[in-house]
Structure formats: C-alpha cells, structure tokens
Amino acid sequence: MIDVVDDPAVTHRRRRLEWPQPNESFFQRLYERASNPIPPEVAHAVDQVIADEFSKCGGDNEGFFEDVQCMDELVAVPLLKRRPVNKPALLHALYFRGRQQSAIWDTYCALVQKKFVDSRGLLVPVDFRTVSSAVGQVSRLLSCFEYVNRYVLPLNDQDQPYELYSYPGFPEPIRWLATMIVRGCSDVTALFETIQKSMFLGPLNQEAYQKYMAADSDKSFTVNPLERQGKHLKSTHPFGFWLPQGIQGESQEAAYDSIYTDHIMRFNVIEKTFKQYFNITDKEIVLEEEEELSYKRFPEMLPGHKSSS
C-alpha cells in the first residue's frame, strides 16, 4: 500500500515543486516583459498588493535584517523622491518569499497529518523579535535540507538569483516551522524522516548534516506549547510573511477555518498579481483557481508525468 503522505507527486498542495528554483532564462524574460506598458488595472493591483502587505507587516520593520532593501524601497525611496519605487523587485520579493512559505506550509501540514506536530501551536501568537535556543537548534537541523541551506541562509552576492528575494536570506518562515515543532513535537526522529521523504525542503545536504551532527552543542530540546509566545495577535513580522500564528475565531474550528481566507489567500493574491504583471503564461504558472482546467489542458505539467519539470 502506498503511503501518499510520502509521495511528492500527490502531497504538494498545488501539485508542483513549491520551493522556488533558480531559472535565469525565466527571470530574464520577466525583466523584458516588465519593460512593456502595464495595463492600468494591473498597475493598480500591484500597488494594492504591495500596500496591503506593507500594512500587514506592521510598517515598522527595524530589526529584520532581511528587510533592509525592501524597507528602503517602501519607505526611503518615496520619501527622497530621487527615483521611482522598484515595484517589480518588490513583487519578486513577495512572490518568492511566498513560494518558500507555501513549501514550508506543505511541510507543516504533512507533519500535522502524521501527528508529529500539534496544530494547537497555531493558536498562540509568535514574537518574531525573539529566537529561543530550542528554536535555533531545530532551525539548524532544518537547514540541513538543500533548499533551506542554499536559499534561506545569508548568501554571497554571486549566489543571489533574485533581486531582493534572497538578500540576505529569509529565515523567519523556517524559524516559524521550528517554533511549531518545539511547541508540539512528538517524535523528532520520525519528523525528520518525514521531511526528508517528502522532499518539500529539498534533499538532505550531507555535508551540512555531518557538520550539524559533529557540532558540540546539545541537540535536545524541551517541548513548550508557548515557545516564542507573542503578546499581540498581530505581531510585527517581515515583509510578505503570511504563515498563520495566533489564529482566532468564535471557536477553535472557526479559527482553523480562517487559515485559508486570512493567510493562504494572501499568497494566492500575490501569485495572481505577479502572473498578471509579468504576463506569465498558464504553462509557466498555474493559479490555484485555474488548476483543474490547466492540468486538463496540459497534463504534462502534473508531477510524475514523464515530461513534467
């Protein structure tokens, strides 16, 4: 019997490799398209999604090192008025940060489904200004997976494939996953094996794993349902961060129902705007609302098809 939870062809929520991959030719085409006239309604949608995400992150991101360039574009450039705001770069940042979070959300859901993580951790707000020793320990373990090791940690200039997106790494989503693990992990060994089999975070980087295992630090941690607990439900967080925390509702069930409308839909709006702005074809990006029709038209795009990539 096939355990579908460990089959990446069916467990990706969007039926695609969710973690963004470097593709220079694709990005070159995006920059060429961005130089073309943009329809007014699309330009308005870009302004709206950037403004919405800026307002949701609190508008005060001092202390989030990964947001240095984003905040320059959002605050300093409009204030100085020496040049236009680099909206394509901000949209890049939002979309590729979103794709990372989407992959991490798939990872989290697989762990909850396996009962290795307690979903009640989502009910407690996260203080994004703090990183506990336990969260740091689990984050280092997660950084042994290739995509996290390569694209989340601070990178050298020559390794940065996307403007703003990867400068200087975007660690908070991985810390979010580490926080949820510390809040309610039942079996860290089985949890690690599940992540490895799912490939959501990429293959295991053997060199990084050996370095992690050889380190002298204590690798154990104590489960704490209130790890990194924030005082406010709407904590200040990095630009474009949408993973759920401190979810609310009239009941616990209603709180969980809010995840799609208040969090996943934010990513869907970003993706739709990104696709419209850069005039991306259905064969390059399939929106969630278009999946059923698109995969019927282009079956080769489905994971597991011999022509899929």
Side-chain angles (χ1 to χ4, degrees):
M1 181 177 178
I2 296 176
D3 184 356
V4 296
V5 176
D6 294 331
D7 183 354
V10 295
T11 52
H12 286 75
R13 188 182 80 260
R14 297 289 300 278
R15 294 190 286 180
R16 66 187 181 190
L17 180 59
E18 198 64 3
W19 196 282
Q21 303 297 304
N23 187 326
E24 293 303 324
S25 62
F26 175 66
F27 275 84
Q28 183 58 41
R29 295 199 304 273
L30 293 191
Y31 279 111
E32 291 170 358
R33 293 170 187 171
S35 64
N36 297 326
I38 305 299
E41 64 274 13
V42 175
H44 175 73
V46 172
D47 290 342
Q48 189 67 54
V49 76
I50 291 174
D52 286 349
E53 289 301 322
F54 183 42
S55 68
K56 286 182 173 66
C57 72
D60 173 21
N61 280 34
E62 294 181 6
F64 291 118
F65 186 50
E66 61 264 43
D67 275 353
V68 170
Q69 287 187 333
C70 290
M71 290 302 113
D72 277 350
E73 289 295 330
L74 290 162
V75 180
V77 171
L79 186 64
L80 297 174
K81 298 181 180 179
R82 294 176 180 173
R83 63 170 175 84
V85 172
N86 192 342
K87 295 176 185 178
L90 289 171
L91 203 52
H92 273 154
L94 284 174
Y95 182 56
F96 285 91
R97 288 178 172 199
R99 283 289 291 263
Q100 282 189 9
Q101 291 174 85
S102 189
I104 290 168
W105 177 248
D106 281 351
T107 306
Y108 172 80
C109 289
L111 298 177
V112 170
Q113 187 174 353
K114 286 278 197 176
K115 301 189 185 303
F116 295 144
V117 172
D118 191 336
S119 64
R120 288 176 295 183
L122 294 176
L123 300 171
V124 181
V126 174
D127 182 356
F128 294 100
R129 301 285 188 184
T130 64
V131 180
S132 67
S133 59
V135 167
Q137 185 62 250
V138 176
S139 296
R140 286 189 288 276
L141 177 61
L142 294 173
S143 72
C144 294
F145 291 102
E146 180 63 29
Y147 300 158
V148 182
N149 186 271
R150 185 175 180 186
Y151 299 120
V152 173
L153 303 180
L155 306 171
N156 297 321
D157 288 341
Q158 64 269 22
D159 294 329
Q160 296 181 25
Y162 317 121
E163 188 175 10
L164 290 182
Y165 145 62
S166 60
Y167 174 81
F170 187 46
E172 194 51 58
I174 283 295
R175 290 178 186 151
W176 173 91
L177 179 58
T179 300
M180 296 304 154
I181 289 171
V182 174
R183 285 181 178 182
C185 175
S186 61
D187 187 336
V188 70
T189 301
L191 176 148
F192 184 82
E193 291 174 352
T194 296
I195 297 175
Q196 187 175 3
K197 289 179 180 179
S198 76
M199 295 287 287
F200 291 153
L201 305 183
L204 186 65
N205 183 310
Q206 292 295 337
E207 182 181 356
Y209 184 64
Q210 292 304 320
K211 287 182 179 179
Y212 171 81
M213 294 303 295
D216 294 332
S217 60
D218 182 10
K219 296 175 178 56
S220 63
F221 63 88
T222 302
V223 171
N224 176 13
L226 301 180
E227 193 74 15
R228 292 180 79 198
Q229 181 180 20
K231 296 181 180 179
H232 306 289
L233 291 171
K234 294 186 178 180
S235 303
T236 299
H237 54 70
F239 182 58
F241 184 94
W242 52 259
L243 287 166
Q245 48 87 31
I247 58 175
Q248 289 181 293
E250 294 182 358
S251 64
Q252 187 167 305
E253 182 179 345
Y256 287 122
D257 288 342
S258 72
I259 290 174
Y260 184 81
T261 55
D262 295 346
H263 301 275
I264 306 299
M265 274 302 298
R266 280 174 60 189
F267 171 63
N268 289 350
V269 170
I270 291 168
E271 182 169 55
K272 184 174 184 177
T273 307
F274 182 84
K275 182 176 180 178
Q276 290 176 333
Y277 184 84
F278 292 107
N279 194 26
I280 299 171
T281 68
D282 291 343
K283 294 199 71 172
E284 292 171 306
I285 291 180
V286 179
L287 302 179
E288 185 178 51
E289 64 195 56
E290 300 169 343
E291 281 182 353
E292 185 175 355
L293 178 60
S294 292
Y295 288 133
K296 285 181 180 179
R297 291 173 56 199
F298 310 114
E300 68 274 11
M301 296 174 64
L302 280 168
H305 191 281
K306 62 182 180 180
S307 300
S308 66
S309 59

